[in-house]
Amino acid sequence: MKQMLLLALFSVLLPNTALALSAGDVAPDFTLPDAAGKPITLSSLRGQFVYVDFWASWCGPCRQSFPWMNQLSQRSRNTAPKTLALNVLAVNVDEHRADAAAFLRQLPASFTVVYDPAGTVAASYQLPGMPTSFLIGPDGRVRWTHIGFRPSDGSTLQAMILRDMRKP
């Protein structure tokens, strides 16, 4: 919660140029631990599409996005061409892992969850709100950013992902 308060404070104090990464920007690389403590590095997924979603246990729209991300992850495992995979990577920004664990007991994830309790990766992505998602292309560049989540966003996001995965 403390890092989100700092994020809100910085967004007020910094000029309007400090917005989320834009299409074409290189996605900042990071290494964060998963639930088992195994380090996951974004650049190790280079050559694949990665849907990176920043979330927190206190975020209402995050509760709505998890079932959709589970479906997205499952569909991509079953239907994506093997040469062009889609990985769903959820970055938790809770200060206390127990808060994330309680959330995940209610809404289990069928995709990779990593932990950023200090908020350093979240800060490097210049999050304007929660949740914020980025589609990262095989070249490591941001294809697009989506802020917030409503169940009605799911079909639009799915179409955008499929469109981008079909582009050369």
Side-chain angles (χ1 to χ4, degrees), residues 41-109:
T41 301
L42 179 63
S43 61
S44 71
L45 301 172
R46 185 71 52 99
Q48 302 171 44
F49 281 88
V50 184
Y51 184 82
V52 178
D53 180 77
F54 288 86
W55 68 282
S57 63
W58 48 262
C59 167
C62 298
R63 291 189 170 282
Q64 297 176 344
S65 69
F66 261 62
W68 176 78
M69 287 191 297
N70 278 328
Q71 291 173 352
L72 176 66
S73 179
Q74 187 62 40
R75 271 190 226 120
S76 67
R77 281 194 297 271
N78 293 338
T79 61
K82 300 303 178 209
T83 56
L84 212 64
L86 171 69
N87 291 281
V88 177
L89 184 60
V91 180
N92 177 264
V93 298
D94 284 308
E95 264 186 84
H96 305 286
R97 177 112 28 126
D99 295 335
F103 177 101
L104 292 169
R105 278 192 297 280
Q106 294 175 6
L107 293 163

Side-chain angles (χ1 to χ4, degrees), residues 4-23:
M4 291 315 297
L5 291 173
L6 288 173
L7 179 64
L9 178 63
F10 286 133
S11 68
V12 170
L13 297 176
L14 293 175
N16 289 337
T17 57
L19 299 175
L21 297 174
S22 300

